[in-house]
Amino acid sequence: MPAFVADCHLGKLAKYLRLMGYDTLYFTHIDDNDLISLASAQNRIILTRDRELAERRSNARLYFFDTIDTKQQLQELIHAFHLEKYHAPFSRCIVCNTPLQIVEKENIADRLPEKVKEHFSYFEYCPVCDRVYWHGDHYRHMLEFLRSVIPR
Ligand SMILES: [Zn+2]
């Protein structure tokens, strides 16, 4: 599966890529040189809207977007790298990119809001930033968005 590193201006795209299960690093601040060496070292494809960066000579692979529309960016990427076959929505932490793990409700019950505890039984959590995920309203909105990106 191709791995990505998004430049500082593509935070929204990075979040959605993680949501779809694609390995994507993102930093709010990173120097272009660091971005390039990280991409080369970890064999990641740089995602950017920065034409100057795109035109620099380097060993790193790079994908340049003309559009600022996140949905269109996603569709372009999926098409360019055949990402549909790696599609694994909600398998990765959208905050830190770590693959999520299934967790028993009883182990996290004391951390859940009352309503969530009442209505949900399936939970995943991020072993790095310790966030708990469940399939609530937020999940449904995200799912609708993903369906509009990848029509089934
Ligand atoms: Zn995390």
Side-chain angles (χ1 to χ4, degrees), residues 25-76:
L25 294 185
Y26 167 74
F27 307 92
T28 43
H29 299 284
I30 186 169
D31 182 81
D32 281 356
N33 293 321
D34 294 340
L35 189 67
I36 289 168
S37 35
L38 177 102
S40 320
Q42 299 188 7
N43 196 22
R44 289 177 181 275
I45 299 154
I46 297 174
L47 305 176
T48 189
R49 288 207 60 243
D50 181 345
R51 200 174 286 278
E52 215 175 289
L53 173 64
E55 284 169 358
R56 269 178 63 164
R57 279 170 187 274
S58 81
N59 293 328
R61 291 168 73 196
L62 188 142
Y63 190 91
F64 173 79
F65 294 106
D66 247 328
T67 176
I68 54 162
D69 183 71
T70 308
K71 190 161 148 181
Q72 207 179 319
Q73 290 169 348
L74 284 168
Q75 285 167 334
E76 270 184 34

Side-chain angles (χ1 to χ4, degrees), residues 15 17 19 24 38 56 85 112 126 140 145:
K15 193 180 99 175
L17 286 170
L19 188 71
T24 308
L38 177 102
R56 269 178 63 164
K85 62 184 170 203
L112 301 173
C126 171
R140 279 196 296 110
F145 178 80

Side-chain angles (χ1 to χ4, degrees), residues 93 96 126 129:
C93 180
C96 76
C126 171
C129 71

Side-chain angles (χ1 to χ4, degrees), residues 92-98 100 125-131 133:
R92 205 172 270 279
C93 180
I94 59 171
V95 178
C96 76
N97 194 44
T98 306
L100 297 179
Y125 93 110
C126 171
V128 172
C129 71
D130 206 34
R131 234 164 262 269
Y133 291 86

